[in-house]
PDB file of all heavy atoms in Angstrom:
ATOM      1  N   ALA L 253      79.462  59.098  62.434  1.00 49.00           N
ATOM      2  CA  ALA L 253      80.108  60.408  62.588  1.00 49.00           C
ATOM      3  C   ALA L 253      81.143  60.345  63.749  1.00 49.00           C
ATOM      4  O   ALA L 253      82.107  61.016  63.763  1.00 49.00           O
ATOM      5  CB  ALA L 253      79.079  61.486  62.875  1.00 49.00           C
ATOM      6  N   LYS L 254      80.861  59.547  64.766  1.00 54.00           N
ATOM      7  CA  LYS L 254      81.772  59.513  65.927  1.00 54.00           C
ATOM      8  C   LYS L 254      83.165  59.000  65.582  1.00 54.00           C
ATOM      9  O   LYS L 254      84.153  59.283  66.262  1.00 54.00           O
ATOM     10  CB  LYS L 254      81.181  58.649  67.012  1.00 54.00           C
ATOM     11  CG  LYS L 254      81.062  57.149  66.668  1.00 54.00           C
ATOM     12  CD  LYS L 254      80.444  56.333  67.817  1.00 54.00           C
ATOM     13  CE  LYS L 254      80.307  54.909  67.424  1.00 54.00           C
ATOM     14  NZ  LYS L 254      81.581  54.239  67.173  1.00 54.00           N
ATOM     15  N   ASP L 255      83.256  58.269  64.480  1.00 60.00           N
ATOM     16  CA  ASP L 255      84.560  57.752  64.070  1.00 60.00           C
ATOM     17  C   ASP L 255      85.264  58.653  63.064  1.00 60.00           C
ATOM     18  O   ASP L 255      86.409  58.380  62.694  1.00 60.00           O
ATOM     19  CB  ASP L 255      84.348  56.348  63.410  1.00 60.00           C
ATOM     20  CG  ASP L 255      83.730  55.349  64.349  1.00 60.00           C
ATOM     21  OD1 ASP L 255      84.109  55.352  65.546  1.00 60.00           O
ATOM     22  OD2 ASP L 255      82.870  54.587  63.923  1.00 60.00           O
ATOM     23  N   PHE L 256      84.596  59.709  62.653  1.00 58.00           N
ATOM     24  CA  PHE L 256      85.185  60.529  61.542  1.00 58.00           C
ATOM     25  C   PHE L 256      86.421  61.276  62.009  1.00 58.00           C
ATOM     26  O   PHE L 256      87.364  61.407  61.214  1.00 58.00           O
ATOM     27  CB  PHE L 256      84.102  61.488  61.004  1.00 58.00           C
ATOM     28  CG  PHE L 256      83.532  60.995  59.711  1.00 58.00           C
ATOM     29  CD1 PHE L 256      82.445  60.133  59.771  1.00 58.00           C
ATOM     30  CD2 PHE L 256      84.050  61.352  58.492  1.00 58.00           C
ATOM     31  CE1 PHE L 256      81.901  59.689  58.604  1.00 58.00           C
ATOM     32  CE2 PHE L 256      83.483  60.908  57.331  1.00 58.00           C
ATOM     33  CZ  PHE L 256      82.397  60.052  57.401  1.00 58.00           C
ATOM     34  N   LYS L 257      86.407  61.821  63.220  1.00 61.00           N
ATOM     35  CA  LYS L 257      87.504  62.703  63.603  1.00 61.00           C
ATOM     36  C   LYS L 257      88.871  61.991  63.506  1.00 61.00           C
ATOM     37  O   LYS L 257      89.745  62.484  62.792  1.00 61.00           O
ATOM     38  CB  LYS L 257      87.281  63.210  65.008  1.00 61.00           C
ATOM     39  CG  LYS L 257      88.456  64.086  65.533  1.00 61.00           C
ATOM     40  CD  LYS L 257      88.204  64.445  66.983  1.00 61.00           C
ATOM     41  CE  LYS L 257      89.430  65.152  67.591  1.00 61.00           C
ATOM     42  NZ  LYS L 257      90.558  64.246  67.789  1.00 61.00           N
ATOM     43  N   PRO L 258      89.096  60.869  64.165  1.00 67.00           N
ATOM     44  CA  PRO L 258      90.442  60.257  64.091  1.00 67.00           C
ATOM     45  C   PRO L 258      90.712  59.743  62.674  1.00 67.00           C
ATOM     46  O   PRO L 258      91.825  59.809  62.231  1.00 67.00           O
ATOM     47  CB  PRO L 258      90.321  59.121  65.105  1.00 67.00           C
ATOM     48  CG  PRO L 258      88.932  58.828  65.323  1.00 67.00           C
ATOM     49  CD  PRO L 258      88.209  60.119  65.147  1.00 67.00           C
ATOM     50  N   VAL L 259      89.687  59.228  61.985  1.00 70.00           N
ATOM     51  CA  VAL L 259      89.902  58.700  60.632  1.00 70.00           C
ATOM     52  C   VAL L 259      90.278  59.829  59.671  1.00 70.00           C
ATOM     53  O   VAL L 259      91.234  59.710  58.895  1.00 70.00           O
ATOM     54  CB  VAL L 259      88.680  57.921  60.140  1.00 70.00           C
ATOM     55  CG1 VAL L 259      88.840  57.556  58.701  1.00 70.00           C
ATOM     56  CG2 VAL L 259      88.491  56.663  60.985  1.00 70.00           C
ATOM     57  N   LEU L 260      89.531  60.923  59.747  1.00 66.00           N
ATOM     58  CA  LEU L 260      89.811  62.045  58.918  1.00 66.00           C
ATOM     59  C   LEU L 260      91.192  62.580  59.147  1.00 66.00           C
ATOM     60  O   LEU L 260      91.942  62.916  58.230  1.00 66.00           O
ATOM     61  CB  LEU L 260      88.796  63.161  59.084  1.00 66.00           C
ATOM     62  CG  LEU L 260      89.006  64.412  58.281  1.00 66.00           C
ATOM     63  CD1 LEU L 260      88.878  64.126  56.798  1.00 66.00           C
ATOM     64  CD2 LEU L 260      88.052  65.538  58.669  1.00 66.00           C
ATOM     65  N   GLU L 261      91.610  62.688  60.414  1.00 68.00           N
ATOM     66  CA  GLU L 261      92.955  63.216  60.714  1.00 68.00           C
ATOM     67  C   GLU L 261      94.028  62.258  60.157  1.00 68.00           C
ATOM     68  O   GLU L 261      95.048  62.706  59.622  1.00 68.00           O
ATOM     69  CB  GLU L 261      93.147  63.355  62.204  1.00 68.00           C
ATOM     70  CG  GLU L 261      92.337  64.562  62.760  1.00 68.00           C
ATOM     71  CD  GLU L 261      92.532  64.759  64.226  1.00 68.00           C
ATOM     72  OE1 GLU L 261      92.960  63.850  64.889  1.00 68.00           O
ATOM     73  OE2 GLU L 261      92.300  65.925  64.704  1.00 68.00           O
ATOM     74  N   ARG L 262      93.789  60.954  60.212  1.00 74.00           N
ATOM     75  CA  ARG L 262      94.784  60.013  59.723  1.00 74.00           C
ATOM     76  C   ARG L 262      94.938  60.139  58.186  1.00 74.00           C
ATOM     77  O   ARG L 262      96.023  60.122  57.637  1.00 74.00           O
ATOM     78  CB  ARG L 262      94.449  58.608  60.122  1.00 74.00           C
ATOM     79  CG  ARG L 262      94.809  58.246  61.563  1.00 74.00           C
ATOM     80  CD  ARG L 262      94.785  56.787  61.783  1.00 74.00           C
ATOM     81  NE  ARG L 262      93.467  56.180  61.631  1.00 74.00           N
ATOM     82  CZ  ARG L 262      92.618  56.067  62.639  1.00 74.00           C
ATOM     83  NH1 ARG L 262      92.933  56.479  63.844  1.00 74.00           N
ATOM     84  NH2 ARG L 262      91.443  55.494  62.427  1.00 74.00           N
ATOM     85  N   ILE L 263      93.772  60.142  57.483  1.00 72.00           N
ATOM     86  CA  ILE L 263      93.857  60.176  56.035  1.00 72.00           C
ATOM     87  C   ILE L 263      94.341  61.555  55.566  1.00 72.00           C
ATOM     88  O   ILE L 263      95.033  61.649  54.543  1.00 72.00           O
ATOM     89  CB  ILE L 263      92.544  59.779  55.337  1.00 72.00           C
ATOM     90  CG1 ILE L 263      91.426  60.772  55.682  1.00 72.00           C
ATOM     91  CG2 ILE L 263      92.180  58.365  55.805  1.00 72.00           C
ATOM     92  CD1 ILE L 263      90.172  60.485  54.925  1.00 72.00           C
ATOM     93  N   PHE L 264      93.978  62.603  56.263  1.00 69.00           N
ATOM     94  CA  PHE L 264      94.494  63.895  55.901  1.00 69.00           C
ATOM     95  C   PHE L 264      96.022  63.970  56.078  1.00 69.00           C
ATOM     96  O   PHE L 264      96.721  64.502  55.255  1.00 69.00           O
ATOM     97  CB  PHE L 264      93.821  65.024  56.753  1.00 69.00           C
ATOM     98  CG  PHE L 264      94.022  66.392  56.241  1.00 69.00           C
ATOM     99  CD1 PHE L 264      93.092  66.975  55.371  1.00 69.00           C
ATOM    100  CD2 PHE L 264      95.154  67.115  56.571  1.00 69.00           C
ATOM    101  CE1 PHE L 264      93.323  68.236  54.885  1.00 69.00           C
ATOM    102  CE2 PHE L 264      95.333  68.359  56.070  1.00 69.00           C
ATOM    103  CZ  PHE L 264      94.403  68.967  55.244  1.00 69.00           C
ATOM    104  N   ALA L 265      96.469  63.390  57.214  1.00 70.00           N
ATOM    105  CA  ALA L 265      97.898  63.382  57.444  1.00 70.00           C
ATOM    106  C   ALA L 265      98.606  62.552  56.338  1.00 70.00           C
ATOM    107  O   ALA L 265      99.661  62.945  55.857  1.00 70.00           O
ATOM    108  CB  ALA L 265      98.195  62.722  58.799  1.00 70.00           C
ATOM    109  N   ALA L 266      98.046  61.468  55.921  1.00 72.00           N
ATOM    110  CA  ALA L 266      98.646  60.647  54.887  1.00 72.00           C
ATOM    111  C   ALA L 266      98.674  61.384  53.564  1.00 72.00           C
ATOM    112  O   ALA L 266      99.689  61.351  52.842  1.00 72.00           O
ATOM    113  CB  ALA L 266      97.928  59.303  54.781  1.00 72.00           C
ATOM    114  N   ALA L 267      97.548  62.045  53.210  1.00 70.00           N
ATOM    115  CA  ALA L 267      97.497  62.740  51.956  1.00 70.00           C
ATOM    116  C   ALA L 267      98.459  63.918  51.858  1.00 70.00           C
ATOM    117  O   ALA L 267      98.965  64.248  50.772  1.00 70.00           O
ATOM    118  CB  ALA L 267      96.048  63.201  51.682  1.00 70.00           C
ATOM    119  N   HIS L 268      98.766  64.556  52.998  1.00 68.00           N
ATOM    120  CA  HIS L 268      99.592  65.745  52.997  1.00 68.00           C
ATOM    121  C   HIS L 268     100.908  65.537  53.698  1.00 68.00           C
ATOM    122  O   HIS L 268     101.623  66.472  54.027  1.00 68.00           O
ATOM    123  CB  HIS L 268      98.829  66.915  53.679  1.00 68.00           C
ATOM    124  CG  HIS L 268      97.612  67.339  52.861  1.00 68.00           C
ATOM    125  ND1 HIS L 268      97.730  68.030  51.703  1.00 68.00           N
ATOM    126  CD2 HIS L 268      96.316  67.161  53.116  1.00 68.00           C
ATOM    127  CE1 HIS L 268      96.541  68.261  51.227  1.00 68.00           C
ATOM    128  NE2 HIS L 268      95.600  67.760  52.042  1.00 68.00           N
ATOM    129  N   CYS L 269     101.262  64.262  53.854  1.00 71.00           N
ATOM    130  CA  CYS L 269     102.574  63.973  54.475  1.00 71.00           C
ATOM    131  C   CYS L 269     102.731  64.630  55.834  1.00 71.00           C
ATOM    132  O   CYS L 269     103.707  65.335  56.066  1.00 71.00           O
ATOM    133  CB  CYS L 269     103.730  64.304  53.543  1.00 71.00           C
ATOM    134  SG  CYS L 269     103.938  63.111  52.205  1.00 71.00           S
TER     135      CYS L 269
END
Side-chain angles (χ1 to χ4, degrees):
K254 65 181 178 63
D255 300 319
F256 260 86
K257 175 183 174 292
V259 171
L260 178 64
E261 288 183 338
R262 281 197 295 271
I263 64 174
F264 194 93
H268 294 288
C269 283

